[in-house]
Amino acid sequence: MSLIRALSKELEARSDESLRALFAARPDLISPGVPDFPALAARASARVSVQRALERLNRPQMQVLETLHLCTNTDTGHSASATVLKKAIAGSTVAAIEQLLQSLHDLALVQRAEPPHGAGPGAQRQRFYLPVSSLKDVVGIYPAGLGRSYTELVRLQPAFAQRVVQLVAELHRSGAAVQAATTPMEAALALQHWTSSPAGLQALLAGAPERTAALLARFSNWAMGAVPQAQRKASVTTEGHDVGPVDWLLARGLLVPLDAAHVELPHSVGISLRGGAIIDNFSLTPPAPTLGVTTAALRRNAALGAIAETLRLTGELLHAVRDQPLATLRSGGVGIREMRRLAESLRVDHRTTAVLLELCALSGLIRLDVDSSCWVQPPQLEWLGLPRQEQWLWLVNAWLASERAPSLVGQPINGQPAGPANHRAAPAATVNALSAEAQRSDAPVIRKRILEILRELTLEAEMPDGTAPVLNAEAVLQRAEWSQPRMARRFSSLIGGVLAEAELLGLIGSGALSQLGAAIAADAPDDAMDLLGEHLPAALNHVLLQADLTAVAPGYLAPDLAERLQRMADAEGQGPATTYRFSVESIRRALDSGQDAAAILDFLRRHSATAVPQPLQYLVEDTAARHGKLRVGAAASFVQSDDEAALSELCREAAASSLGLVRIAPTVLVSMASPRQTALVLRGLGLSPAVEEAGSAVVRLNRTAPVQGTGRPVYSAPRTALPDADVTAQLAVLRSRADHASPNGSRPATAGAEEATQLGLETLHKAIRLRQKVVMNVVDSLGNAKLETVVPVSVAGGRVRVFDPAKDTERVLSIHRIIDIEAAEEMQQ
């Protein structure tokens, strides 16, 4: 019977609680919904769904699943039990393997099967299993890190097949216990038998050159390796101490060349190196990393300091972008020159600037203006007026949900290293800030999992004296490799950047997970905000004015105070105790923004803990006296209306801020935009402007209309579990279809599209492996259907290559033209 149809019956026999647990662990099975159990089994056996499920398995589960794959044969129905797998997994027990098999069965990755033919009388008391049909395609050609067999290598590697008979003959003449062979397949079987004894292989390696053991150790987790000139000739009769370990292994067939630069360690050699077991490092508990410690006070202070500094720098960045928008490159993103200017304005390094800029973009604090191709600050940004704990939570939620990886900025594109260092080599292209290359669709999942691992390690190493473990990238990656080994490469590429970003946001302090980070990892943002509101010092609303024309901030300033102060002084230094220096240029900048001397001095008196020094007062008054006698401005168009109230309301409208409107008369406004663009913006506000004539710079405003403001954006981490209502509805559909099935439990005559596709692919792959005939119902270009009996050879790219025995020819068919596929043996029955 087809494995998909057998799985369908298994799923139908499950309880609702078991199905709910399955849907919670594999939500893609019912997203979108399925009509019946056969369609559910087909989706559970699909390659993409199985691949997603395997990404959530830990190392013991993967080891048991790969061992089951190697010890069974889904084509012939040869199954295996926990007792059989125990012999292939060193250090395991039957109870532990049975428990892991049950967890895999709950996930629909393995299914119950009949005992294999010839099993002993005790087989009826054991549970036998088979993996899902698509597992072979998902785990790849090196399950458990073991290579292919000699017979498979002979069949797939023509160069090795031509040389293997001579290799076995040389080994036989040298006295090795290898049977003589006359055909490549006989030679492959002889090598396989010769290398299948762990004791015999160790005795052979005792006479190997130095560094051979170290070389073979590199193949402990993966069967393929890179070797220069892998296909070079090596003879077993070569004498002398100059023979290297690679030549020695190639000469004895212990390494098989794949091409000019790669070799493979055959399956039997890998098994023997592991002492006859498929898995030789089995453990149910994750490795415990060696961690340092830090005090709770240091952790809290470091986290709070990072949060306050990030909020301060974010406010300065928004101020800098509002004053001068960031231009984008033609290829996308912000260029080096703009980043350098922004870094100098913030007085931080380029890497921190890039992360802050990305953080502002993914939080919606800046946006790309498509008309000017510049990043600008949205009008009336709500974030600026929020309490600091809410500002922080806004940034954290956006960071968790974003599909961008800010720390990739500055790294080589696609992870490619730079070329050779010479004057002709082109410089390596790097990821620009706010460019498409920093997009990573798996970033939210990896961020969330890294925070969960940090919390796990912190709870495991919790100490009674209040100290906290210092967690580094190595410790987190070690746990990630154990908990989700198939995602280890994705973790390794992002883990360093995620930890740095988490430290910038205060989720990590002094190298340890902070209380805020633990609350976010536990999906308790309200608790985190309460903690932050309790411990984060309140923003200051005063500065200390000094006679040397400087103002010293004794702590982190309120955002509105810091923004106004930056308009009339230049910030110097970093951290909370920022120094602001007044100069003629800075005072002139404040005057240009519309302030006068009285307003500037009044602001300084209200926000200074000391009296305004006389030198500073003279500087403001003298600069103001010489300022504004002659005013020069730029304008691209005018807006004229007899309704002065309408013009006043338009000047206050946030949605019209992009026009840069300035009132120069009671009935005239000056716009920085062109007449056409000004008219478009005004029409978008519900107004009816009219451009007087072609080439005119005058836009007349006819009537006013109220304009709705924008709401606050909401950010949340992506959901993985489906709502209970959706699961309940899906169960009702499945049970109702099962109740209306035929009384004898037979399958409907017509299967669903998804089920038919998976059944057809299962039949094709099985026929290719067993070299069996199939009967295809193929539609030609005229729409005529015809049954054809062929032998499938390969499937790739939506096409299947088949051999037609009747015509003695090979053909390539498009899969979408095949209506149905059945094994020829089943058709005869």
Side-chain angles (χ1 to χ4, degrees), residues 55-60 283-291 448-462 469 471-489 491-492 495 499:
E55 289 177 350
R56 303 185 183 98
L57 300 184
N58 58 32
R59 183 180 295 169
S283 176
L284 292 174
T285 58
T290 303
L291 304 174
K448 184 64 174 171
R449 183 60 189 135
I450 288 176
L451 289 180
E452 292 173 350
I453 291 175
L454 290 172
R455 185 168 178 264
E456 292 173 9
L457 294 174
T458 301
L459 293 176
E460 291 175 5
E462 190 173 7
L471 305 168
N472 52 26
E474 182 181 357
V476 178
L477 181 59
Q478 186 182 39
R479 177 57 60 90
E481 290 175 342
W482 187 89
S483 60
Q484 291 178 273
R486 288 186 66 87
M487 291 188 66
R489 292 187 63 183
F491 274 106
S492 62
I495 191 169
L499 293 180

Side-chain angles (χ1 to χ4, degrees), residues 35 120 143 259 270 324 328 331 446 450 468 539 646 710 822:
D259 53 35
Q324 185 173 354
T328 58
S331 59
I446 292 179
I450 288 176
T710 57
E822 290 287 347

Side-chain angles (χ1 to χ4, degrees), residues 705-742:
V707 181
Q708 301 294 331
T710 57
R712 175 180 178 178
V714 178
Y715 298 97
S716 60
R719 295 188 57 178
T720 55
L722 295 173
D724 290 339
D726 293 352
V727 176
T728 302
Q730 179 64 80
L731 286 174
V733 171
L734 292 173
R735 295 303 184 192
S736 64
R737 292 298 181 92
D739 294 339
H740 290 84
S742 56

Side-chain angles (χ1 to χ4, degrees), residues 359-692:
L359 193 62
C360 288
L362 59 89
S363 303
L365 305 185
I366 61 175
R367 62 176 176 82
L368 181 63
D369 183 11
V370 295
D371 296 323
S372 62
S373 295
C374 291
W375 287 89
V376 299
Q377 177 184 321
Q380 292 186 346
L381 184 60
E382 182 186 357
W383 185 88
L384 294 172
L386 293 176
R388 293 210 291 172
Q389 60 267 29
E390 294 188 25
Q391 289 181 337
W392 171 81
L393 187 61
W394 183 313
L395 297 178
V396 170
N397 281 339
W399 175 72
L400 286 173
S402 174
E403 293 187 351
R404 294 187 62 81
S407 295
L408 292 180
V409 176
Q411 297 185 12
I413 295 179
N414 299 327
Q416 295 296 328
N422 57 61
H423 65 282
R424 295 184 178 179
T430 57
V431 178
N432 291 321
L434 305 181
S435 65
E437 286 78 13
Q439 199 79 9
R440 284 287 297 267
S441 59
D442 57 350
V445 177
I446 292 179
R447 281 195 202 100
K448 184 64 174 171
R449 183 60 189 135
I450 288 176
L451 289 180
E452 292 173 350
I453 291 175
L454 290 172
R455 185 168 178 264
E456 292 173 9
L457 294 174
T458 301
L459 293 176
E460 291 175 5
E462 190 173 7
M463 303 169 188
D465 56 356
T467 57
V470 176
L471 305 168
N472 52 26
E474 182 181 357
V476 178
L477 181 59
Q478 186 182 39
R479 177 57 60 90
E481 290 175 342
W482 187 89
S483 60
Q484 291 178 273
R486 288 186 66 87
M487 291 188 66
R489 292 187 63 183
R490 282 186 271 178
F491 274 106
S492 62
S493 63
L494 291 181
I495 191 169
V498 170
L499 293 180
E501 295 160 12
E503 191 165 6
L504 194 70
L505 291 168
L507 304 177
I508 295 176
S510 190
L513 183 69
S514 64
Q515 290 181 305
L516 300 171
I520 294 297
D523 292 328
D526 293 337
D527 295 344
M529 198 161 59
D530 292 341
L531 282 171
L532 188 60
E534 179 182 353
H535 294 97
L536 188 66
L540 299 179
N541 203 31
H542 69 277
V543 294
L544 304 176
L545 294 178
Q546 302 184 110
D548 61 349
L549 300 180
T550 60
V552 177
Y556 291 103
L557 300 178
D560 55 343
L561 173 59
E563 181 182 357
R564 290 199 63 182
L565 197 58
Q566 285 176 347
R567 290 193 177 277
M568 60 185 66
D570 298 319
E572 298 176 349
Q574 299 180 9
T578 305
T579 300
Y580 296 87
R581 183 169 300 279
F582 297 92
S583 63
V584 175
E585 290 76 13
S586 66
I587 298 298
R588 187 179 294 127
R589 186 170 65 237
L591 295 171
D592 289 339
S593 66
Q595 303 183 59
D596 55 17
I600 294 175
L601 292 175
D602 179 66
F603 169 79
L604 293 177
R605 292 188 186 100
R606 284 187 290 107
H607 294 284
S608 174
T610 59
V612 177
Q614 193 176 49
L616 178 57
Q617 182 176 349
Y618 287 165
L619 175 66
V620 173
E621 292 174 348
D622 291 346
T623 305
R626 297 190 301 270
H627 183 270
K629 292 184 178 180
L630 187 64
R631 304 184 67 87
V632 178
S637 60
F638 298 91
V639 180
Q640 188 273 331
S641 175
D642 295 333
D643 190 347
E644 297 182 15
L647 292 182
S648 300
E649 184 179 352
L650 182 59
C651 289
R652 294 190 298 268
E653 182 58 55
S657 61
S658 61
L659 299 178
L661 297 176
V662 177
R663 195 164 194 167
I664 61 174
T667 60
V668 180
L669 299 179
V670 175
S671 173
M672 301 299 295
S674 65
R676 180 182 297 274
Q677 181 62 29
T678 301
L680 287 176
V681 172
L682 295 181
R683 290 189 183 106
L685 296 175
L687 307 176
S688 299
V691 180
E692 286 190 339

